[in-house]
Amino acid sequence: MTCTGESWRRIVASGWTFLPTIALIATSALRADPTLTRVDPPGAQRGTGVRLVLAGNGLGDKIQIRSGIPGSMTELSADGPAREFLLEVDRTAAPGIYPLAVQTTDGLTNTWLFSVSEFPETVEVESRARRARRNDSASEAQPIETPRVVNGTLTEADRDLYEVWLEAGEPIVFEVEARRLGSAIDPVLAVWAPDGSLVARSNDSPGIGQDARVALPAPVEGNYTVEVHDARFSRQARNFYRLVAAPIEFAEEIFPLGWKAGEPVQVELSGGTLSKPRKVTVQGATAALPGMRGGLPMPFLRGLGTETIESRSRKRRRLTEGTVVNGRISQPGEIDRYRLSVRPGEEWMIETQAAILGTSQLYTLLVLHDQAGEKLGSAGDQPPEELLSNISTRAETFGDPALGLTVPAGVSELEISVEDLLGRGGRGFGYRLVARRQSADFILRLDDTHVNVPRDGSAAVSVTLDRRGFEGAIRVVAEGLPAGVIAEGGNIPAEFGGMTTQRNSRRGRLILNASADAESSVAKVSFFGEGTTPDGRIIRRPALTSRIVTPVAGPGQRALRLPSSTGSVDTVVADPAPAELKVLSPRSLRLIQGLERDIEWAYHARENGVQAISPVQLVNAPSVANLRILGGAKIKVGDSKGTFQMNTTMGTPAMRFDLVLQARVRHQGVQHTIYSPAITVDIVQGYSVGAPEQPVDVSAGAGFSIGGSFLREPDFDSQVIVEASNLPVGVRCDPQTIADTPERYSLDCRAEQGVAEGEHLVEITPQSILAGRGTEAVPYNIKPVEAILVIAAGDTMATVEQPSRSQSQ
């Protein structure tokens, strides 16, 4: 089985441990952004010591090891680009996955995951040296004993083969740890009998996502060949894996898939080597078989709200707003149905979780019917066959299907059904279902696993927005920032039909600026997205965070993301960046549609040895329609100053967005990107007219006036002509030319005798030209507003909104 969308696993650590600071001779105060590119080996046996190599960029100078591994680390060598330590793992350490990162004066590295096992470990000989014995064929298979864990790597077209002697009937499990540790390898595992026949093959295995597992009793005595290769034979930067060959006991199914945080709960583990389901109590965010020789524990989701288990009585299955129901499709072809009481006009969001967790085999199909059996919508299969304006179906950008619904007239109850798209079922087909009464929504994901903010400099925090029917503007905000750090920008504009391409997913940026006197510190920072609905309600959603983000090479491949168990990320105030970018123009701009603005900047290196390797660029995220940034072609690598021209058109929507300057530099052999503070731009309409506050009463044969508010931007200096159109026969209004900045407009009008009585809808139409582009005269016409004329018979003029100018003279 291959999960659709991004297959996320929940990896839970036992918390960070700060090991003693390791001091070396200080080098330059300006260092590269630190990065871990390799941790070798990626795991170890508990109760043993291993030589641990941490390779990467910017790992010199004074460092702190931030580790959740139970044990101690002593530095052995700091020569070359790598740091070497003696890692001694506690004898009592629980098998599992633990985080490891390095903090320097220049910031925090990315996190790596380290696997602790209970079995002896060895290495793939081929991966240690180019001229080492290869294990690419059965005749060259590397012999290993059991129980054993092999730490290996896969190159582009590599097949790693191992030879294992097994007694007839001997129970054995072969399991590959790769994606669960953040490796880009998508492993395939095959076992061949002594006679060369295929015994078993595994790609994605139940309960462990895209990793592979084979469990069997040996059919005959002899040497078995175990083969490991990447599913696509791709070339990956993070190409490590761990092959476990041992008589381990494991479960491959878990129910429920999650529960409320902080509450112990009994879960059922089943499948795998278990002869029958077993109940275990889960206190944290992993589930393991106690007292058994097992592999990695299974991830267990922890939520924030109320949770329950599906009712055994199918007739009594109802949903309560906000309560998560943990259910399971226990049999092939089974459909779980729930009832939800609703009222016409209410807005609801129905969401599921299954494949996204990595511990369920369910491909969720979600279907909605009303109480009469009329289908209202579905998700997880395809868009509804009919165009239903009150249904908002969103793709599975973040995993499992969801449906947004405005309850139609006459509907008092919804039937919500959950089933497997392929008609399958069993103990491993769990799901989580929740209904929330809310309007259109969105999901925000933080693309960064941590943030390093250079003192007296700026860092860019990247986010991805998944819209679930909410098309308004969203602002990204941060809470818990270190002292001396402020946030700027974070504006994601609304979607505008016809003016921008409406997309389900958008990228955005929040800029963090640290003052020159900000002290070095680490803070847990949470990020949120905030949007306002048309009726003034504020939607506030926390950003989803990831512990690990691993690029996966190859066409159509998405980055591997292992979700964090918390909603915050470490944000570090680090030493200054090797160079800086300054914005010399105002960083808060208000620009009329169709005009242009120059943005001046300056760049300089802070010390010798800094090499500019790209010209300065002015970028915005997300991109804005009908916006051009000119002047980049004239900027050369290393230029110390320059000017960009931001060009808009009449088609540029009125919105708020951000720009930022960026450039790449090389310092001490390492590349990194420097950013300027954010430039926030408000694209505004040059002027606006308001509709009359109330209907205008008109008497036949009398004069009257139509008036409303008038607002002009200070930079808009063209004349505006306001006129009334779509007037009833017998009514005329003189246009008004506005050259100054009055607070109101007023049109002189008159109704002839015999004009038809009743209410008439007319339009107040403003017209102008766009000044500011040399001699070019571009029409600048905005959307008309409406006014209601109420015409009565008679000679006497009724009360009107305000006197006409002719009467006041």
Side-chain angles (χ1 to χ4, degrees), residues 34-120:
T35 305
L36 275 177
T37 58
R38 181 169 62 94
V39 173
D40 187 31
Q45 181 185 14
R46 63 182 179 180
T48 65
V50 297
R51 189 182 189 92
L52 186 68
V53 177
L54 305 182
N57 300 321
L59 302 183
D61 206 353
K62 182 186 293 185
I63 68 172
Q64 285 181 320
I65 302 298
R66 303 187 65 186
S67 173
I69 306 171
S72 62
M73 292 180 68
T74 305
E75 181 143 31
L76 301 175
S77 172
D79 296 335
R83 306 287 286 260
E84 295 186 9
F85 301 86
L86 173 62
L87 169 62
E88 297 176 278
V89 185
D90 289 348
R91 186 180 302 274
T92 58
I97 297 174
Y98 299 89
L100 174 66
V102 176
Q103 184 177 339
T104 78
T105 57
D106 304 295
L108 184 66
T109 68
N110 52 303
T111 298
W112 277 66
L113 298 179
F114 190 86
S115 179
V116 173
S117 77
E118 56 184 307
F119 306 114

Side-chain angles (χ1 to χ4, degrees), residues 597-609:
R597 183 66 59 90
D598 287 343
I599 297 176
E600 299 179 358
W601 54 268
Y603 158 86
H604 82 274
R606 284 194 163 108
E607 79 172 35
N608 295 329

Side-chain angles (χ1 to χ4, degrees), residues 121-362:
E121 305 218 353
T122 188
V123 298
E124 178 203 8
V125 175
E126 178 188 279
S127 64
R128 289 303 178 211
R130 291 184 178 180
R131 297 184 180 180
R133 172 184 171 180
R134 302 190 66 81
N135 59 339
D136 298 340
S137 65
S139 61
E140 299 174 314
Q142 178 180 333
I144 60 172
E145 297 178 350
T146 61
R148 192 73 58 181
V149 177
V150 184
N151 293 293
T153 59
L154 289 170
T155 55
E156 187 170 2
D158 195 9
R159 297 175 184 266
D160 290 348
L161 284 83
Y162 301 91
E163 184 180 81
V164 183
W165 173 270
L166 296 176
E167 301 287 344
E170 178 181 349
I172 188 70
V173 175
F174 299 104
E175 180 176 311
V176 180
E177 300 173 4
R179 288 295 178 101
R180 288 171 290 171
L181 299 181
S183 172
I185 295 297
D186 181 3
V188 175
L189 182 62
V191 180
W192 307 85
D195 63 359
S197 61
L198 180 66
V199 176
R201 185 179 184 276
S202 172
N203 189 348
D204 302 343
S205 295
I208 57 176
Q210 288 181 270
D211 283 348
R213 179 195 284 145
V214 167
L216 55 95
V220 296
E221 180 183 82
N223 282 320
Y224 287 75
T225 303
V226 181
E227 177 185 341
V228 181
H229 68 83
D230 181 69
R232 297 179 305 279
F233 293 99
S234 58
R235 183 177 182 179
Q236 304 291 344
R238 298 189 187 181
N239 62 346
F240 63 89
Y241 67 87
R242 285 166 56 82
L243 171 65
V244 180
I248 64 176
E249 296 182 282
F250 65 91
E252 57 188 8
E253 301 154 355
I254 184 172
F255 182 79
L257 303 178
W259 203 255
K260 184 177 181 180
E263 291 185 1
V265 62
Q266 238 190 15
V267 304
E268 177 189 275
L269 299 177
S270 58
T273 59
L274 300 182
S275 59
K276 61 180 180 180
R278 180 169 178 179
K279 298 282 188 180
V280 299
T281 299
V282 175
Q283 301 282 350
T286 59
L289 293 168
M292 292 189 174
R293 294 166 63 88
L296 298 177
M298 298 186 73
F300 186 74
L301 181 67
R302 286 295 186 174
L304 300 177
T306 304
E307 306 226 0
T308 188
I309 302 291
E310 65 179 347
S311 171
R312 292 185 178 181
S313 172
R314 294 186 176 276
K315 295 182 179 180
R316 298 180 180 177
R317 290 183 176 176
R318 300 196 68 85
L319 291 183
T320 301
E321 179 185 357
T323 297
V324 176
V325 175
N326 290 275
R328 178 162 55 183
I329 303 300
S330 302
Q331 302 292 333
E334 178 181 312
I335 301 176
D336 285 356
R337 293 181 171 87
Y338 299 84
R339 298 283 178 175
L340 176 67
S341 297
V342 296
R343 294 180 178 178
E346 289 180 341
E347 295 177 305
W348 287 84
M349 181 66 69
I350 317 297
E351 298 179 85
T352 63
Q353 287 181 314
I356 196 174
L357 305 176
T359 51
S360 175
Q361 301 177 60
L362 185 68

Side-chain angles (χ1 to χ4, degrees), residues 411-440:
V411 175
S412 60
E413 189 175 68
L414 297 178
E415 181 191 82
I416 302 165
S417 65
V418 179
E419 60 185 294
D420 183 70
L421 182 63
L422 305 180
R424 304 164 304 158
R427 293 184 180 274
F429 288 78
Y431 62 85
R432 291 162 60 80
L433 173 68
V434 64
R436 296 186 175 91
R437 192 165 63 185
Q438 63 184 50
S439 59

